[in-house]
Amino acid sequence: MSMFEARVDRVLGAGPFCEIGRPRVTTTSPNTALIAIGGAHVWRQWHGRDVSPRSRPDPGWHPTAVYRSDDFTCLFQVTTRWPVNALAFHPTLPLLTIGTGAYDGGWAYEGELLLLNLSTGATVSLLEYPREVRQLTWQDPETLALVLAIPCDEDKETFGTTALACTIRRDDWDRATDGMLRMPYGEEPYIDESRTDPAAATAVIEQLCTERGFAWTPRLAVWAIQALTDGHVLAALEGIALECWTPTSEDCAWRLPAGGTGYQVTTLPDERTGLVLTQALGSSHGGRWRNEPSVVVEVDLGNGAVQATHQAASRAILVSRADGWWALRCTAAKAGAVMLVDPNSARRRRVQMGRYDVFNHYFDIRYAPDLLFLQGLGDEPHQDKRVVAVDTPHGRVRQLFPLEWDTARGGHLFGGCGAYLEDRAGPALVHAGTVHDGAGMLPGNAFVARRTYPTGEPQWVFTTDDQATALDVDDDFVYVAFNSGELVILRAEDGAVQVRQQLLVNGHRVVPLSLACAGENRVVIGTLDGRVLDCSITALPRSE
């Protein structure tokens, strides 16, 4: 049972239609009172790590939201497993049909036809088997016209097209149940294979906002967040290297645009300078795709001015130490180099660490007394990973302890986020991770563990079903955000659960990508949809 709860006191970076990311498709109800928008969030993976859901069945992450047309209040929000291609309000009943789907890249055209009840908020999946739904039109209150994709590649020879049209007539749409539309659907070849038009959807939203005097700026994926001791909050996200929020205003103090994305943020010990790892989009040269190298930008935290830039040799991740030393670890497939950077001089030193991949080697530890990395076997770097420290300035690699602590299990563990702490129980690392299984994420295969430092013995282990996206600690507690939308607070000394709750904003679930402690009983959280949540942790009243 939770002893505390997290309350969202401020939502920074909010605005109209913030729940849907990039718009893909829109539609308006027959009486124009409602507008539905199907959108797209960024994929929850970058070149340094992967935090996409691996559970089965896939919980879905493509958003659809229904808003009031007058003030843009979000009334309903759902997520779907496949991209949203089509939306249509029922002509007389409080129902919204949602067509989703995509080609799987190798054989099948999968998707769903969903029916959202606008009275109850309940959603049902109408098709007996998964099929990509491309178009939806209500011809009358009983008749729904559909354009579906063919089931799989071999059907293209039969029909001469990948699109099939049909109409379904029923008088029980208000009593819909899962799988009630069963094959055959009486489909006929349909040559027009039109797709969604995100530009048109964007234009609709821009016009609506202009007509009603709202400013609309789409925001996406706050990948990193950091709180300063004076209450200011730093965030890095899609399209923005770094932005700064004050503790007393919902207006951004300054913002540093980026040609790509800000993925990691740390600060030097004096908190006057921030370091942000940015990554520009790749580019095509002579018909060949080229990934741009990562860049670390030194930023004056007083005014957002760029003080210096450091370009890596390739794509890289940022690793930092509490005293200000930092390093860039190359993540390119054939690279294995770590570049050590002394913040007080221009000295650089290169160390070979072995290959890196986004699932195995991410190990971002806040407040670490050493530069910490995961290193595996030379020829198979994903195997038998150990936590190692790289000493400065000479670059000696010290092996500390195996990532896997349970020798009887012998599991293949993936790395994750974490933090160093020192309390009455002694110095320790608290880190998150997952146990690999070929069937995907199995129940209980995600964990948060406290381990003695530097020897690695487990002191406690908290297990769960979903991967952690972010973790931070203070003197008493461990704060962990998960890709399921859950926030968990554990007692640092023994791992006892203090809080376990879904994160909600205005009653709708949000997915946290980043988290940082922001003073006593306060955390800030960056979300998949681009918002920053300023949260207080309050004690629940004791039951008699």
Side-chain angles (χ1 to χ4, degrees):
M1 178 180 294
S2 294
M3 301 173 62
F4 301 86
E5 69 173 346
R7 296 179 178 174
V8 179
D9 298 325
R10 293 192 303 161
V11 180
L12 308 175
F17 310 123
C18 55
E19 294 84 2
I20 52 88
R22 294 190 182 99
R24 284 175 54 85
V25 61
T26 67
T27 191
T28 304
S29 63
N31 63 1
T32 71
L34 303 175
I35 179 171
I37 305 173
H41 292 313
V42 300
W43 183 244
R44 283 177 257 181
Q45 182 188 90
W46 54 283
H47 66 269
R49 74 180 302 205
D50 176 90
V51 289
S52 57
R54 302 184 199 137
S55 58
R56 295 187 177 184
D58 189 329
W61 61 285
H62 300 279
T64 295
V66 179
Y67 300 88
R68 282 206 304 251
S69 296
D70 54 357
D71 60 5
F72 302 154
T73 297
C74 183
L75 302 176
F76 301 97
Q77 180 184 355
V78 298
T79 57
T80 59
R81 179 177 176 182
W82 290 281
V84 181
N85 299 326
L87 299 169
F89 284 98
H90 191 278
T92 58
L93 298 172
L95 302 172
L96 174 70
T97 45
I98 305 169
T100 77
Y103 181 52
D104 70 0
W107 176 249
Y109 296 79
E110 296 182 307
E112 289 181 288
L113 174 62
L114 301 167
L115 194 64
L116 169 63
N117 188 310
L118 301 175
S119 296
T120 66
T123 304
V124 295
S125 181
L126 298 176
L127 300 181
E128 182 181 14
Y129 301 109
R131 287 279 296 278
E132 180 188 348
V133 180
R134 296 180 174 176
Q135 295 183 39
L136 292 170
T137 306
W138 286 100
Q139 294 182 339
D140 59 53
E142 295 185 346
T143 308
L144 178 63
L146 297 166
V147 174
L148 305 174
I150 55 176
C152 58
D153 280 340
E154 67 180 13
D155 294 305
K156 187 172 183 179
E157 293 186 9
T158 302
F159 295 104
T161 178
T162 64
L164 303 174
C166 64
T167 56
I168 299 175
R169 185 175 180 83
R170 298 185 69 106
D171 61 3
D172 59 351
W173 295 110
D174 58 343
R175 302 183 300 280
T177 57
D178 285 324
M180 76 176 194
L181 302 184
R182 299 179 178 179
M183 294 183 69
Y185 304 128
E187 301 155 282
E188 297 291 339
Y190 186 80
I191 302 303
D192 183 5
E193 299 178 11
S194 59
R195 296 291 193 269
T196 58
D197 186 352
T202 298
V204 169
I205 291 176
E206 289 175 340
Q207 181 177 351
L208 283 171
C209 290
T210 299
E211 290 173 351
R212 289 159 177 77
F214 289 97
W216 178 66
T217 302
R219 289 171 58 90
L220 297 165
V222 180
W223 287 104
I225 200 162
Q226 185 88 353
L228 305 181
T229 54
D230 64 4
H232 285 74
V233 175
L234 307 174
L237 58 155
E238 297 282 328
I240 297 172
L242 198 63
E243 63 184 16
C244 180
W245 301 89
T246 69
T248 58
S249 172
E250 294 187 3
D251 295 326
C252 187
W254 52 259
R255 182 172 286 125
L256 179 63
T261 299
Y263 284 117
Q264 291 178 283
V265 174
T266 190
T267 59
L268 296 186
D270 61 9
E271 289 195 345
R272 292 199 296 266
T273 301
L275 303 175
V276 54
L277 180 108
T278 65
Q279 180 65 47
L281 296 174
S283 57
S284 179
H285 294 270
R288 300 184 64 182
W289 184 260
R290 185 180 74 183
N291 289 306
E292 300 297 327
S294 301
V295 174
V296 172
V297 183
E298 291 188 29
V299 182
D300 184 327
L301 297 182
N303 57 19
V306 175
Q307 296 176 324
T309 59
H310 308 267
Q311 182 171 294
S314 66
R315 290 173 296 168
I317 61 166
L318 175 67
V319 177
S320 62
R321 197 170 72 180
D323 65 357
W325 271 83
W326 56 278
L328 282 169
R329 181 176 186 177
C330 289
T331 64
K334 295 182 180 180
V338 172
M339 182 67 71
L340 306 181
V341 181
D342 182 349
N344 299 312
S345 74
R347 287 187 299 175
R348 303 287 189 272
R349 186 172 185 88
R350 185 183 297 272
V351 180
Q352 292 300 316
M353 187 60 62
R355 288 180 58 180
Y356 180 101
D357 72 63
V358 298
F359 301 105
N360 281 280
H361 298 101
Y362 187 79
F363 201 62
D364 189 13
I365 307 299
R366 297 177 187 264
Y367 324 121
D370 296 297
L371 292 171
L372 299 177
F373 303 85
L374 291 182
Q375 184 180 42
L377 298 176
D379 293 334
E380 296 182 322
H382 60 288
Q383 296 287 351
D384 296 330
K385 293 182 292 296
R386 300 182 68 87
V387 177
V388 302
V390 176
D391 295 333
T392 58
H394 46 73
R396 181 172 68 94
V397 178
R398 286 184 290 122
Q399 293 197 359
L400 300 181
F401 53 86
L403 185 61
E404 170 62 283
W405 63 86
D406 185 349
T407 56
R409 174 178 61 187
H412 180 149
L413 271 58
F414 292 152
C417 47
Y420 173 85
L421 61 86
E422 191 166 356
D423 56 14
R424 289 178 299 179
L429 289 187
V430 180
H431 71 90
T434 58
V435 183
H436 170 67
D437 190 280
M441 180 69 77
L442 300 182
N445 267 12
F447 64 84
V448 178
R450 173 173 172 146
R451 306 175 72 171
T452 57
Y453 189 81
T455 53
E457 293 86 4
Q459 295 177 310
W460 52 257
V461 179
F462 168 81
T463 60
T464 186
D465 301 340
D466 300 290
Q467 184 183 6
T469 57
L471 183 152
D472 203 355
V473 299
D474 61 19
D475 293 337
D476 300 303
F477 301 111
V478 178
Y479 305 83
V480 195
F482 293 88
N483 62 10
S484 61
E486 191 174 38
L487 173 68
V488 174
I489 302 178
L490 309 169
R491 195 159 57 205
E493 186 175 7
D494 58 10
V497 175
Q498 308 297 296
V499 172
R500 190 162 193 176
Q501 70 180 72
Q502 285 289 316
L503 283 169
L504 303 175
V505 176
N506 299 323
H508 304 296
R509 185 175 72 95
V510 295
V511 176
L513 287 183
S514 51
L515 173 149
C517 294
E520 185 175 2
N521 301 322
R522 181 169 167 246
V523 294
V524 286
I525 296 170
T527 68
L528 178 65
D529 58 29
R531 288 178 282 185
V532 173
L533 313 182
D534 186 351
C535 305
S536 57
I537 311 299
T538 59
L540 292 172
R542 294 181 179 271
S543 58
E544 298 296 333

